[in-house]
Amino acid sequence: MCKHITNVQVSIRSACCRKWFDCADCHKESEDHPLKKTMEMIFACKKCKKVFRKDTSNMEESDEYCPYCDNHFIIEAVTAAQKRSLVLEFESDDPNFIRDERCKPRSGPSFI
């Protein structure tokens, strides 16, 4: 599970060491060599668990989906820092925010 991007849809097999990673930062942290760039990438869908290849030199909109289950895997990444800021933003004291008064007020920030 990737600690850098919280909404990862596929794992990517690196061309240099042939290991599976969720993002380039995961490869950077665990390996001592740079990530080899290639135009043909091997993906493993996290929804249906099937492996497929994509040629990234001529990607089209239809190539953004898993060929087996139609899971949209090229989406805007949500990092752990962005997720934390969303939780803090949700707990804001905005006067337009409708708060459920039946719940007891919490002390300190809460994280989901």
Side-chain angles (χ1 to χ4, degrees):
M1 185 162 176
C2 182
K3 67 180 182 180
H4 308 104
I5 301 172
T6 59
N7 63 339
V8 174
Q9 302 295 309
V10 292
S11 290
I12 302 168
R13 187 173 183 199
S14 66
C16 48
C17 55
R18 300 201 184 285
K19 293 181 183 174
W20 293 95
F21 298 97
D22 287 339
C23 74
D25 291 331
C26 289
H27 180 275
K28 188 179 193 178
E29 282 184 358
S30 62
E31 300 300 321
D32 60 354
H33 59 271
L35 184 63
K36 181 181 174 184
K37 296 183 180 183
T38 180
M39 295 311 279
E40 183 180 72
M41 299 180 73
I42 302 172
F43 298 100
C45 179
K46 292 197 175 239
K47 184 177 179 185
C48 69
K49 309 289 189 246
K50 295 200 177 175
V51 177
F52 56 95
R53 293 176 189 262
K54 293 281 183 181
D55 183 8
T56 57
S57 61
N58 56 357
M59 289 281 284
E60 297 176 1
E61 189 175 341
S62 63
D63 292 326
E64 297 179 3
Y65 296 86
C66 172
Y68 299 103
C69 69
D70 286 335
N71 182 27
H72 194 195
F73 66 89
I74 298 183
I75 57 176
E76 186 174 341
V78 176
T79 62
Q82 288 172 323
K83 195 169 189 177
R84 280 193 300 274
S85 71
L86 287 175
V87 169
L88 294 176
E89 186 176 301
F90 179 74
E91 295 290 330
S92 69
D93 292 328
D94 183 9
N96 296 324
F97 180 74
I98 299 172
R99 190 174 302 276
D100 187 356
E101 299 298 330
R102 297 174 294 177
C103 297
K104 294 180 183 178
R106 298 180 193 170
S107 60
S110 64
F111 296 96
I112 296 176

